[in-house]
Amino acid sequence: MAGKIIIVGLGPGNYFDMTARAKSAIESAEVIAGYKTYVNLIPELVAGKKIIATAMMQETLRAELAISEAQKNLSVAVISSGDAGIYGMAGLVIEKILDLPENLQPEFEVVAGISAVNSAAAILGAPLMHDFAVISLSDLLTDWQLIKKRVKCAAEGDFVIALYNPKSKKRVTQIEEVQQILLKIKNPQTPVGIVTNAGRAGQIKIISTLEKFTQEEINMFSLILIGNSKTFVKNNFMITPRGYEIKQGVQ
C-alpha cells in the first residue's frame, strides 16, 4: 500500500481562518507540496518538514512530485489557498492518482477550506444570501470568449456574481469588458464590493457601483462581488435579501 495524500485548503491566508482539520492535516504530514507563496503563509506549520515548493504554472509537476513522495509510504499534504476544490489543486491531484494502476495509487483525502468568496462576502456583509455564480476571469486555462458567455448568462439569470482573478499585470482590459457586458443587462447602480487581501495583512474593502467599480484599485489579490437586482447597501455593508420577510408577510 502506498502512502497518503491529503489535499488541503488553507483558507484565505491566516491561521484564524484555517479549519482545525486543515491545520491538523498539515501538522501530521511528513511532506508539504504547494505554490511557494502559499507555503510561505504558514512557516510555523511546515517547519522541519520536507517542502516541495514550485512556481506558478508548475501545478502538474507539483502534483506528480507529491504523488511520488506518497508512493514512498510518506504522508503528503498538498496545499492550496482558500478551498482546494475551488480553483485549487484537488482536481489535478485526484486525476493524476486515478490515472495510475491501482497498486500504485496512494490513498487520498480532500480537506475543505474557507474559500476567498466566503471570506470576502463576510467582510462585505451578506451579499451571497441568494443564488450566486463564481467565475474566474483568468484566460490561461479557459477561452476568453467562453468566460464572457458565462458572465452574460449569469447576469441574465440575475445571479450575484463573484469574480476571481479579475486583473493582473498582463491582463488589464478584461475587467472592463466584463463591466460593459454587465451594464447592458444590469442597473448601473448595482452594488459592487471589492475585497483585496481578504483575511490577510493589508486587507481593503471597497463598495462601489457597477458603473464605477473599475475606477478602483483591482489586482490578482482582489475578489469582486456584483449584486443581483435586489442587493442593496446600508451603512457600508452589502446585503442580498433572501426573502424571509416577504415570505412571512412582512414588507
Side-chain angles (χ1 to χ4, degrees):
M1 171 66 70
K4 182 173 182 177
I5 290 184
I6 303 180
I7 312 159
V8 183
L10 297 180
N14 68 69
Y15 291 109
F16 294 106
D17 287 331
M18 186 183 299
T19 68
R21 188 176 171 201
K23 184 172 181 289
S24 176
I26 294 168
E27 289 176 332
S28 63
E30 298 167 282
V31 181
I32 305 295
Y35 173 43
K36 291 177 182 178
T37 299
Y38 300 153
V39 173
N40 291 337
L41 290 174
I42 52 170
E44 294 90 345
L45 294 183
V46 302
K49 302 178 186 294
K50 180 174 181 178
I51 306 294
I52 299 170
T54 62
M56 186 73 76
M57 300 304 295
Q58 294 184 326
E59 290 82 4
T60 299
L61 173 62
R62 195 184 314 148
E64 291 171 346
L65 290 173
I67 293 169
S68 177
E69 291 297 312
Q71 289 172 329
K72 301 173 186 176
N73 292 317
L74 296 173
S75 59
V76 182
V78 177
I79 62 172
S80 295
S81 68
D83 180 274
I86 301 177
Y87 304 124
M89 288 290 291
L92 177 60
V93 174
I94 293 171
E95 285 185 59
K96 288 289 183 182
I97 290 173
L98 296 180
D99 281 343
L100 295 169
E102 278 194 42
N103 64 318
L104 296 179
Q105 293 179 9
E107 183 183 353
F108 67 86
E109 178 183 1
V110 180
V111 175
I114 298 173
S115 174
V117 70
N118 301 117
S119 181
I123 292 163
L124 291 167
L128 300 182
M129 286 296 295
H130 218 304
D131 300 335
F132 63 95
V134 177
I135 302 171
S136 170
L137 298 192
S138 173
D139 58 358
L140 289 174
L141 302 174
T142 306
D143 181 75
W144 179 238
Q145 296 305 313
L146 178 56
I147 293 172
K148 290 197 294 183
K149 180 180 179 180
R150 289 172 175 170
V151 169
K152 181 175 183 289
C153 289
E156 289 174 339
D158 198 26
F159 287 91
V160 175
I161 302 172
L163 299 178
Y164 276 68
N165 307 312
K167 197 172 183 179
S168 69
K169 291 180 180 179
K170 295 181 179 180
R171 186 166 36 80
V172 297
T173 62
Q174 282 86 339
I175 188 64
E176 293 175 354
E177 287 187 59
V178 165
Q179 180 191 38
Q180 293 307 308
I181 292 169
L182 296 174
L183 282 171
K184 292 177 181 178
I185 301 167
K186 301 171 74 69
N187 188 318
Q189 297 304 308
T190 300
V192 175
I194 304 167
V195 179
T196 302
N197 294 318
R200 303 179 188 177
Q203 175 181 295
I204 299 172
K205 165 191 169 182
I206 295 170
I207 294 182
S208 183
T209 62
L210 184 59
E211 67 176 348
K212 294 182 178 180
F213 81 96
T214 54
Q215 299 172 18
E216 305 292 345
E217 177 65 29
I218 298 171
N219 57 46
M220 279 294 287
F221 299 103
S222 303
L223 191 137
I224 299 173
L225 280 167
I226 300 163
N228 68 13
S229 61
K230 302 295 184 182
T231 304
F232 65 92
V233 176
K234 188 171 184 179
N235 296 337
N236 203 36
F237 288 101
M238 280 178 71
I239 303 167
T240 300
R242 181 74 176 96
Y244 296 115
E245 291 188 343
I246 294 174
K247 182 70 173 177
Q248 294 165 14
V250 180
Q251 300 298 322

